[in-house]
Amino acid sequence: MNVPRCMSTQHPDNVNPPFFASGPELGGEDEIKEAYYVFSHLGCDEQMWDCEGKEVDSYVVKKLLTEYESFFRENILGEDCRLTLRVPNPTVERAEAKILLETLESIPRSYDTAALFYERDVPPVFEVILPMTASSRCLNRVYHYYRDFVAGKENLKLKDDVTVGEWIGEFRPEEINVIPLFEDMDGMLAAGRITAEYLEGKDPEHQRVFLARSDPAMNYGMIPATLLNKVALQSLGEVEEETSVIICPIIGMGSAPFRGNLKPSNTRAVEDYPGAFTFTVQSSFKFDHPPAEVSDAVRLLREHKPGKPQDVDRERIIDIVNRYSSEYRRHVMRLADMINRVSRHVPGRRKRKLHIGLFGYSRSMGGVSLPRAITFTAALYSIGVPPEILGFSSLTDPDLDYIMEIYPGFERDFHDALRYMNPHSPHLPPELRSSIEEHFPDISHDPEHVRVTDEINHSLALNRTGNLQGRILEAASIRKFLG
């Protein structure tokens, strides 16, 4: 079973653009170079290729094989290194629904390109990631559309009685794997059931499942996001036992503690997710640290032993998540105007938007809308209020005891976040400050980060925002992640 262990993604959480970028925001050709770089120099064995929110580059395989021929002669695309497409979900992303069809149609052409290059049958792309998965129907629609209407058109006959396959050639691969991406509480809690339903009638050796870490934090807070991942991993372990299909979960972790705290200096963060098989290396991990340090960390991730999922108390976790998320949202609502104000000055790092978010405040909180998770995180850090602490005051001592029992990295993650809290920030809710000081009396705040966030808050108070982006980047450089 050759399943990647370290997936490079295009999440724009980096402070510094990479050396090969044509500008501060990575564009299409930069992302081709990025895919080669993470394979050849950093040692990642997979690149996620995002087909949402931008023009689809359906020639990515051809560009990689022709521009970096010598590397890919020795490192087979589709075997030694993997390119995995993240496609739009038509059920949710109606405006981009047809991009799914374009992307699926490109897979047989990429196969033909690789077959000519390698002079043998090798599918360079055979898996797609479906975001915001809410049911097995969503997964089966993608699976069956490809099998029946993309590869399946090979058997259709034209009016002169020739088949499409005889006219155009074979369509390979005949099937693709669809990886569900679960991003909200309902999806996380139903991950096992939905995956089991999707497997019915199929006979795969293994099934990959993607569990988000950023969007659940954005929706419910850092601690609920971590706990929900543990519930999902437990349920997926049960599916493996019941079906005998090997389940290979992917955890989507970023560098900020709020989004996973996975960075070259903290690869131990993966130990909080026993049962997870693949971990994401996002842009900050790749570009905000020395390359040798990054490649060493990638090697450690690839050598990590997955282990068995934890046994956790599902009902107790749901109770903690419900109470915590209610308090978290109350704190976010108080800060929403300031978050939106600061977010306008957070620089972009990719020349396209990410897929639409799940954050539900526009529905449930009186029409308030907020930026995506990376910008949201950057905005809060920039005013000295790490998002990790929002909602913390809802926890009881027994809650904390249980959290520390099943989440060994909790204190490490919280201390990493509190290092960048500004205790004098005018935006820090007083009850949060007292709760944090009670439970973490030995906090040490980074003095340079406090200084910069003081300057940002002073500029905001005077409505002098001309140099705000520069100061936001200065604070991010101290943290070594944007958001």
Side-chain angles (χ1 to χ4, degrees), residues 165-404:
E166 291 166 339
W167 179 42
I168 298 295
E170 294 180 331
F171 285 72
R172 297 288 183 273
E174 294 179 355
E175 296 180 353
I176 58 170
N177 305 328
V178 185
I179 302 171
L181 171 51
F182 298 107
E183 302 185 69
D184 66 354
M185 182 172 176
D186 290 342
M188 291 282 188
L189 295 178
R193 174 181 58 78
I194 292 171
T195 301
E197 290 174 355
Y198 172 66
L199 290 172
E200 290 177 5
K202 304 178 183 70
D203 188 29
E205 177 193 26
H206 68 272
Q207 172 66 37
R208 304 179 78 193
V209 178
F210 204 143
L211 303 176
R213 180 60 179 71
S214 288
D215 275 319
M218 178 84 181
N219 281 325
Y220 317 112
M222 182 188 81
I223 291 173
T226 306
L227 300 184
L228 288 170
N229 269 269
K230 291 178 179 291
V231 171
L233 287 168
Q234 177 178 253
S235 69
L236 292 169
E238 293 167 355
V239 172
E240 181 172 290
E241 290 182 8
E242 292 165 4
T243 64
S244 298
V245 175
I246 300 169
I247 305 296
C248 301
I250 307 162
I251 302 284
M253 302 172 74
S255 289
F258 187 66
R259 302 180 51 249
N261 207 17
L262 181 57
K263 50 198 174 189
S265 60
N266 186 39
T267 55
R268 289 186 61 191
V270 302
E271 295 172 7
D272 285 318
Y273 302 93
F277 197 89
T278 304
F279 299 91
T280 60
V281 170
Q282 300 186 2
S283 300
S284 177
F285 189 114
K286 293 179 288 188
F287 306 138
D288 290 333
H289 306 272
E293 186 180 335
V294 176
S295 60
D296 285 346
V298 167
R299 177 179 52 79
L300 291 173
L301 291 177
R302 293 183 64 177
E303 292 173 354
H304 175 72
K305 299 290 189 290
K308 293 289 185 183
Q310 282 174 289
D311 287 325
V312 295
D313 187 334
R314 179 186 175 100
E315 296 309 315
R316 186 170 187 179
I317 284 176
I318 291 172
D319 174 59
I320 292 172
V321 168
N322 285 334
R323 287 187 284 109
Y324 193 109
S325 61
S326 177
E327 181 77 350
Y328 167 81
R329 290 181 176 222
R330 187 176 67 83
H331 287 147
V332 170
M333 279 299 295
R334 286 168 57 180
L335 293 165
D337 288 345
M338 184 54 63
I339 292 168
N340 283 324
R341 186 179 172 198
V342 176
S343 70
R344 290 194 289 270
H345 303 277
V346 175
R349 286 294 181 254
R350 299 270 172 176
K351 288 183 179 176
R352 42 89 175 139
K353 65 181 178 67
L354 289 178
H355 74 284
I356 66 168
L358 294 163
F359 198 63
Y361 294 125
S362 60
R363 293 191 305 273
S364 61
M365 291 195 169
V368 174
S369 60
L370 288 163
R372 296 284 296 136
I374 291 169
T375 306
F376 173 88
T377 304
L380 282 165
Y381 266 104
S382 299
I383 58 174
V385 184
E388 293 83 351
I389 68 176
L390 303 181
F392 180 81
S393 49
S394 68
L395 296 175
T396 65
D397 287 340
D399 290 339
L400 279 168
D401 291 341
Y402 182 64
I403 289 166
M404 286 190 276

Side-chain angles (χ1 to χ4, degrees), residues 380-436:
L380 282 165
Y381 266 104
S382 299
I383 58 174
V385 184
E388 293 83 351
I389 68 176
L390 303 181
F392 180 81
S393 49
S394 68
L395 296 175
T396 65
D397 287 340
D399 290 339
L400 279 168
D401 291 341
Y402 182 64
I403 289 166
M404 286 190 276
E405 177 188 334
I406 65 169
Y407 175 10
F410 164 71
E411 289 194 271
R412 174 203 62 216
D413 290 352
F414 239 73
H415 275 281
D416 284 355
L418 291 173
R419 183 180 176 191
Y420 303 113
M421 185 179 90
N422 185 336
H424 315 297
S425 173
H427 310 294
L428 186 63
E431 73 275 16
L432 261 181
R433 183 188 287 112
S434 59
S435 181
I436 293 295

